[in-house]
Amino acid sequence: MNDPYITLGVTSRATLDEIKAAYRELAKKYHPDNYADNPDMQAFATEKMKEINEAYDEILRIRRSGGTEYTDYASIRQMIRNGRLFDADNALNNVGSASRGAEWHFLKGTVYLNNGWVNDAEREFEFAVRLEPSNGEYTAALNSIKNTRGGQFGGYNTSAPNYGSGSGCSGCDVCTGLMCADCCCECMGGDLIRCC
Amino acid sequence: MMLIKDYETYKSVYCSLCGALHKQYGIFAKNILSYDITFFCIMAAGLNGAKPCVKKGRCMFNPFKKCFYCTKQDKYLEMGAAFSVISFYYKLTDNIKDDGVFSKLGCYMLLPFAKRYRKKALKKYPHFDIILGDILALQAECEDKEFVSLDRCAHPSAVMLKRLMMTLAENEQNKCEYGEFGYYLGRWVYLIDAIDDIKKDLKKNRFNPFIKMFDITRDNISDDVKQQCNEIVNMTSARLVSAYKKLEIKTYKEICDNIINIGIGQMQKNVIFMNNREEIFDE
């Protein structure tokens, strides 16, 4: 589903009452209780019902915010929020390559990220930031991915000191330090560790 | 890195899985035992809250060697064994497709065994076969096409483990969480395997996403490329760890924590920087 108006079978110029009527009619038709004896049909009706509800909510939201035309990216964001990644991806792919701006790349990256495609997500976020370096949302998304490269959040961190080998202060270092301190104290007539 | 008590529990699952393979599929089947599947069995038992019970015994194949067995985990071990033999069958068919003459010959000799094992496993776990069969076709499709992205290459393996993990879930909520964890685990395993295979694939002129990505042509891989490979794997590890944190592991938690928090980092270090994939759990 791309356009909530198409789902409800009305035009974008329809009045609120017309939209409500269309919604009520469809809801009556696809109510899952009507198909209690046919589980396949019931599953289909439940799915359809969900779509109708979402479309209705979306139109109400658009109308309430004062816009009569619905902007592409806002509805795509809505789809991503609702977890409808496939639809969101389709909608993004329908945008002509000439008009793909920073927000397009950001949303594409978000879809990738939600699908677990971390590398492609990073690339898209990089695009978005390059096109619009001042946008905090894009920069934050890019940074949160970039930060996981170091391995501090899981994986192998090459710069972290290794226990026992590598640099840093290991258990052995502590003991050796104490022994040295004890020897020094004893040379000066004192004692740090009584038993040795 | 692992505590002795955890190590013993881990080993007990490993030995019991070996026993399950032997009991259900015959004496040769124990050769397809793997640490990956052991981990899967532990996760399966841990997520369902099966109590770990360890008893002492002797190794089935070496009576002088003492080892531990776990009891009461038959359900998960059986599942692990079935998955092992089915994946073994698919691995063989895959090797026959793109290996050299001699290894092909070896695969052909093993194939009748694999077929028989698979047939037996299919009776009880037909969904494993669907999960694995699907993925192989997808993977082949990815590798035939022009290289576009690493994510696309890793996707089939990731989905396979996602679906496998989802079979362990009891309700919808769990399904999501298990699926997410499975996806990143599968992805991580694919990436590590691919990095591990770079040299072999160069020699045999086979597809490998990392060779394409960094245009690797020579045998020795520069430190810079290694560093970048590690960073790429880290990105997946980080998400794997955060997906893991959402899981509610009822038993075997220490072992699972250990593998996720320390084991995967160690494995990355071994495979990427030290070029040896000695199993990190071996003494």
Side-chain angles (χ1 to χ4, degrees):
Chain A
M1 185 204 79
N2 290 330
D3 190 339
Y5 290 105
I6 292 173
T7 309
L8 291 188
V10 292
T11 65
S12 53
R13 282 188 291 276
T15 63
L16 206 58
D17 286 340
E18 281 167 359
I19 290 166
K20 271 185 188 158
Y23 169 72
R24 244 178 254 130
E25 188 146 331
L26 284 171
K28 215 184 282 169
K29 187 173 165 195
Y30 287 110
H31 198 282
D33 289 352
N34 294 348
Y35 306 96
D37 46 4
N38 187 344
D40 280 346
M41 266 312 280
Q42 194 173 24
F44 173 73
T46 316
E47 192 62 27
K48 193 81 190 164
M49 201 57 215
K50 208 176 121 205
E51 224 173 274
I52 295 162
N53 281 332
E54 272 167 7
Y56 185 60
D57 289 345
E58 176 69 5
I59 292 177
L60 286 189
R61 198 186 61 76
I62 294 161
R63 295 279 163 121
R64 224 174 279 138
S65 65
T68 43
E69 278 298 315
Y70 89 107
T71 52
D72 280 325
Y73 291 134
S75 73
I76 293 172
R77 276 172 193 266
Q78 186 65 33
M79 288 176 196
I80 295 174
R81 260 196 299 276
N82 293 341
R84 283 160 46 224
L85 298 173
F86 190 74
D87 293 331
D89 198 38
N90 270 341
L92 283 170
N93 289 340
N94 285 337
V95 177
S97 53
S99 49
R100 292 176 181 179
E103 188 165 20
W104 186 90
H105 287 289
F106 169 71
L107 291 177
K108 185 84 178 166
T110 313
V111 171
Y112 276 140
L113 193 62
N114 282 317
N115 278 327
W117 290 33
V118 192
N119 288 51
D120 286 350
E122 189 192 34
R123 199 192 54 220
E124 293 297 340
F125 289 154
E126 266 169 1
F127 264 122
V129 170
R130 207 177 305 151
L131 292 172
E132 218 174 277
S134 57
N135 188 310
E137 191 183 19
Y138 308 160
T139 323
L142 179 63
N143 286 343
S144 83
I145 285 199
K146 280 245 184 283
N147 286 343
T148 61
R149 277 181 167 263
Q152 297 91 329
F153 301 99
Y156 175 52
N157 184 353
T158 45
S159 55
N162 240 336
Y163 202 86
S165 56
S167 57
C169 185
S170 71
C172 287
D173 293 341
V174 173
C175 287
T176 324
L178 277 173
M179 271 158 71
C180 284
D182 186 43
C183 287
C184 289
C185 285
E186 278 166 8
C187 286
M188 307 297 286
D191 197 8
L192 180 65
I193 305 166
R194 293 253 173 87
C195 55
C196 71
Chain B
M1 278 299 184
M2 213 173 199
L3 293 177
I4 295 293
K5 125 182 119 72
D6 290 342
Y7 179 74
E8 275 174 4
T9 327
Y10 186 88
K11 208 67 186 168
S12 79
V13 177
Y14 184 77
C15 290
S16 308
L17 183 62
C18 173
L21 276 167
H22 177 211
K23 208 168 85 192
Q24 285 165 44
Y25 301 98
I27 191 155
F28 294 115
K30 75 139 200 149
N31 291 316
I32 56 181
L33 188 59
S34 82
Y35 282 99
D36 300 353
I37 309 244
T38 311
F39 179 51
F40 172 69
C41 288
I42 290 180
M43 284 292 287
L47 285 168
N48 284 300
K51 280 264 175 319
C53 277
V54 178
K55 73 166 201 268
K56 268 188 183 167
R58 279 173 195 283
C59 177
M60 249 172 280
F61 300 93
N62 182 357
F64 295 107
K65 205 172 123 193
K66 278 193 184 140
C67 69
F68 296 94
Y69 288 102
C70 62
T71 50
K72 299 178 192 165
Q73 298 322 359
D74 293 344
K75 191 177 145 200
Y76 308 108
L77 293 170
E78 206 176 81
M79 213 152 77
F83 194 76
S84 306
V85 294
I86 297 176
S87 66
F88 175 61
Y89 168 80
Y90 279 110
K91 207 171 159 193
L92 275 186
T93 51
D94 193 43
N95 283 354
I96 285 174
K97 220 171 52 193
D98 53 30
D99 259 8
V101 181
F102 283 104
S103 53
K104 234 184 208 162
L105 211 62
C107 291
Y108 271 123
M109 279 161 73
L110 288 172
L111 200 59
F113 289 102
K115 269 188 181 151
R116 214 176 63 214
Y117 297 156
R118 172 170 168 251
K119 215 169 141 190
K120 198 170 171 207
L122 273 184
K123 276 182 201 148
K124 217 171 155 189
Y125 300 95
H127 53 286
F128 284 173
D129 196 61
I130 300 169
I131 292 174
L132 278 160
D134 269 5
I135 287 333
L136 229 68
L138 272 177
Q139 193 76 61
E141 193 187 317
C142 272
E143 298 183 357
D144 284 345
K145 277 189 191 157
E146 204 184 327
F147 175 72
V148 218
S149 98
L150 187 63
D151 292 328
R152 189 185 296 267
C153 297
H155 190 64
S157 310
V159 170
M160 181 199 63
L161 232 68
K162 179 182 174 180
R163 291 189 188 154
L164 184 64
M165 285 300 294
M166 276 161 111
T167 62
L168 300 176
E170 280 153 352
N171 56 45
E172 283 301 312
Q173 168 75 23
N174 279 352
K175 225 177 197 171
C176 253
E177 288 164 358
Y178 290 13
E180 195 193 348
F181 173 77
Y183 188 88
Y184 289 116
L185 186 63
R187 208 181 127 91
W188 185 86
V189 170
Y190 176 85
L191 295 179
I192 278 290
D193 277 346
I195 293 175
D196 199 30
D197 284 345
I198 289 178
K199 282 188 180 167
K200 212 164 69 192
D201 290 343
L202 264 180
K203 213 178 281 169
K204 291 186 176 173
N205 204 10
R206 271 196 304 211
F207 175 86
N208 187 310
F210 285 95
I211 295 179
K212 300 259 178 197
M213 227 173 139
F214 296 110
D215 281 323
I216 301 170
T217 46
R218 284 165 303 119
D219 236 18
N220 66 20
I221 302 157
S222 74
D223 287 344
D224 180 49
V225 169
K226 279 182 186 171
Q227 192 69 37
Q228 284 194 50
C229 287
N230 186 49
E231 284 183 8
I232 286 171
V233 183
N234 275 344
M235 278 156 66
T236 299
S237 307
R239 297 189 78 80
L240 176 63
V241 168
S242 73
Y244 172 77
K245 282 181 187 153
K246 290 184 205 156
L247 301 180
E248 192 200 339
I249 297 182
K250 295 173 191 122
T251 48
Y252 293 109
K253 186 156 173 32
E254 290 87 358
I255 300 182
C256 295
D257 281 355
N258 198 304
I259 292 172
I260 295 294
N261 293 332
I262 300 167
I264 58 170
Q266 279 287 315
M267 186 67 109
Q268 276 173 233
K269 184 179 165 193
N270 286 352
V271 170
I272 301 171
F273 294 98
M274 283 142 80
N275 289 322
N276 64 339
R277 191 188 194 153
E278 54 182 54
E279 290 292 350
I280 45 173
F281 303 110
D282 272 357
E283 283 145 306

